[in-house]
Amino acid sequence: MTGFRPAIIDSLSRYQARDFRADVAAGITVGIVALPLAMAFGIASGVSPAQGLVTAILAGFVVSLLGGSKVQIAGPAGAFVGLLYTLGERIGPGNLLLATMLAGALLIIAGAFRLGRIIRYVPVAIITGFTNGIAVMIALQQFRDFFGLPIEKMPADFFAQIQVLASHVNEADASAMCLGLMSLVILHVWPKSFRQYASPWKQFAKQIPGTVMVLIAGTLLVSSHLLELPTIGSRFGGIPASFPYPTAPDVDWSKVRDILVPAISIALLCGIESLLCARMADRLIRERHNADQELIAQGVANLLVPLFGGIAATGTIARTVTNVRSGARSPVSGIVHSLTLALIVLIAAPLAANIPLAVLAAVLLFVAYHMGDWQAFARLRAFSMPHRALMIGSFVLTVVFDLTVAVQVGVGLACLLFLHRMASLTKLQWLALMHGKTQELIAVCEIKGPLFFGSVDRIEAVLDPHQAPARHIVLDMQGVSYLDTSALEVLFQYKDLLRSLGGGLAICAAPEHVRSLITRSGLLQDLVGKCIFKDLDEAKQAFDQGLELQSSE
């Protein structure tokens, strides 16, 4: 099991005043950036913006305090939007919180037993496919508010969403569309518009995130009654200016048996996203994170957050990159980010009631576009058919069904393709026919590659005693990289059939791990010479001696 050692312990051991100043500045910056994203991801996930803020505050604090990365920022993420929205409709909000807590427990167990590396085994093609699929799902759910469509609640099913949007396409609100388009333009040009200017106020304006600017602009337009649009206040009743007390989730016990698969999906997605984000941060700061410790921290966060009404959380790439580029030097910046968010909620919560939903929809459309790797589709023609099948399959399954199905089918298909590829590496070839001293034929078969359950049919096709070139066979296993019990059983059968024909089986040049399994299985006692020979010459001599003995008898 892994030792419990958060990254903050090593960071504070050599902490200085200048590091604290840099962390405070970075934490305040990323806290401001996280404000609109936390609310938007909360709404997109099918809960209130207040629940998104609670998730960002609490998860960000816990992961920074206990995590294995020095600069990672945790909170509600776009990766969870489609999954949480669908699961909330299927199993209910209370059961969803319970599933999130179970996912947290699974992550803690995974981290404690050093399973951080296993999550990295998910193929890149699957990750790219479901990431692009998630981006499409996020964008699709924002069309209601972006175009101001009078839809009470968006369904979770893809085809139902298309049908509902199509049935209301003629009811778009021009004011919402104009505000949404204006927000997208600001988000696109704001970071670039001050690069060529060096005046102090423009340099200061450059530090203000574009997301904050569109929130301010949209709120001012609604507050001044220039626009009449749905807002956070009109739909959710605003945001409470206090932190909620912990309460147990309101569980629907009739559906509690349905939470296991969702919990595994949430845990898997959280692990993948957080470790990918941490690896990306490693490249920026040129340090390595502790993957197992990071899983433990993410698990604790997801175990605690639902008690306060929050949703699933993980490492977030946009906020982590902002944290690093703002000069963060330790997990203290993540703690400051959480405190900044909490302070904003306590002071400015009443102002959030006038934030128009069209602006938050524009923010999420902007995020969805930038989170997807759309060039990956253009690069597909350069890769093999299995890679294309994995990526396109996981993309389509994520969009049409949900992330749970996409991950299950994608990982299963990846395993099958991997087994097929590994089986194709197994090579068996008849090399020669040698004569013994009694002029009996001794056939030699060279085996290369892995011998496992996936290559059993290949082994059986070549090692067919009814079509063997001789009764006496030598298997040259020098090139065997792996042997499992399924392939070993084929060797047992082959040995028995050769013996029934009056011949025998010998093995030579087997690697130590292959030799060990053959010895432990008892097959060694039934081989010619009751040993594994060093080379072909030694095996041939053993056959010669045995055949001479049979002739004399």
Side-chain angles (χ1 to χ4, degrees), residues 114-298:
R114 297 180 178 273
L115 300 181
R117 292 184 179 181
I118 293 180
I119 293 179
R120 297 185 184 183
Y121 294 162
V122 179
V124 173
I126 294 178
I127 294 175
T128 303
F130 75 62
T131 300
N132 287 353
I134 289 168
V136 171
M137 293 173 66
I138 293 174
L140 195 61
Q141 292 176 2
Q142 305 319 305
F143 289 161
R144 174 186 64 166
D145 293 328
F146 186 86
F147 293 105
L149 301 177
I151 302 172
E152 183 176 350
K153 184 175 179 61
M154 285 290 289
D157 180 70
F158 170 74
F159 295 106
Q161 289 178 343
I162 297 296
Q163 181 182 9
V164 169
L165 290 173
S167 64
H168 291 82
V169 69
N170 295 324
E171 303 176 58
D173 187 298
S175 299
M177 290 176 57
C178 291
L179 181 58
L181 289 172
M182 182 191 75
S183 300
L184 286 177
V185 171
I186 293 175
L187 290 170
H188 178 71
V189 305
W190 186 265
K192 305 174 182 178
S193 57
F194 297 104
R195 289 179 181 173
Q196 56 184 343
Y197 301 108
S199 61
W201 76 270
K202 290 181 178 178
Q203 287 299 312
F204 172 76
K206 182 181 176 181
Q207 304 303 317
I208 302 175
T211 51
V212 174
M213 292 305 303
V214 297
L215 283 189
I216 294 174
T219 304
L220 289 176
L221 288 173
V222 171
S223 300
S224 60
H225 303 290
L226 294 176
L227 294 176
E228 294 291 336
L229 294 173
T231 63
I232 288 179
S234 64
R235 182 173 296 176
F236 300 100
I239 296 176
S242 62
F243 205 74
Y245 290 101
T247 56
D250 184 14
V251 177
D252 181 358
W253 294 104
S254 65
K255 298 181 179 179
V256 75
R257 290 178 299 179
D258 300 332
I259 71 170
L260 179 59
V261 173
I264 294 174
S265 300
I266 293 172
L268 183 61
L269 183 56
C270 178
I272 292 172
E273 284 292 313
S274 62
L275 295 185
L276 285 176
C277 181
R279 289 173 65 184
M280 181 211 60
D282 288 347
R283 292 195 294 268
L284 296 176
I285 64 175
R286 297 182 180 179
E287 293 190 24
R288 293 193 64 181
H289 71 282
N290 184 332
D292 299 314
Q293 183 63 45
E294 187 63 28
L295 288 182
I296 292 175
Q298 297 289 346

Side-chain angles (χ1 to χ4, degrees), residues 104-116:
L106 294 176
L107 287 169
I108 294 173
I109 294 172
F113 285 92
R114 297 180 178 273
L115 300 181

Side-chain angles (χ1 to χ4, degrees), residues 12 75 105 150 156 158 168 209 223 290 325 344 366 376 427 439 516-517:
L12 294 182
F158 170 74
H168 291 82
S223 300
N290 184 332
R325 291 178 177 172
I344 292 174
F366 187 78
K427 306 294 182 184
Q439 296 304 303
S516 174
L517 180 57

Side-chain angles (χ1 to χ4, degrees), residues 50-97:
Q51 289 174 273
L53 288 170
V54 167
T55 304
I57 293 170
L58 188 55
F61 183 87
V62 171
V63 171
S64 295
L65 187 65
L66 304 179
S69 172
K70 292 175 61 176
V71 294
Q72 177 150 265
I73 302 296
F80 283 120
V81 166
L83 179 62
L84 298 183
Y85 192 90
T86 304
L87 291 177
E89 291 290 307
R90 184 187 306 165
I91 63 177
N95 288 43
L96 178 59
L97 296 181

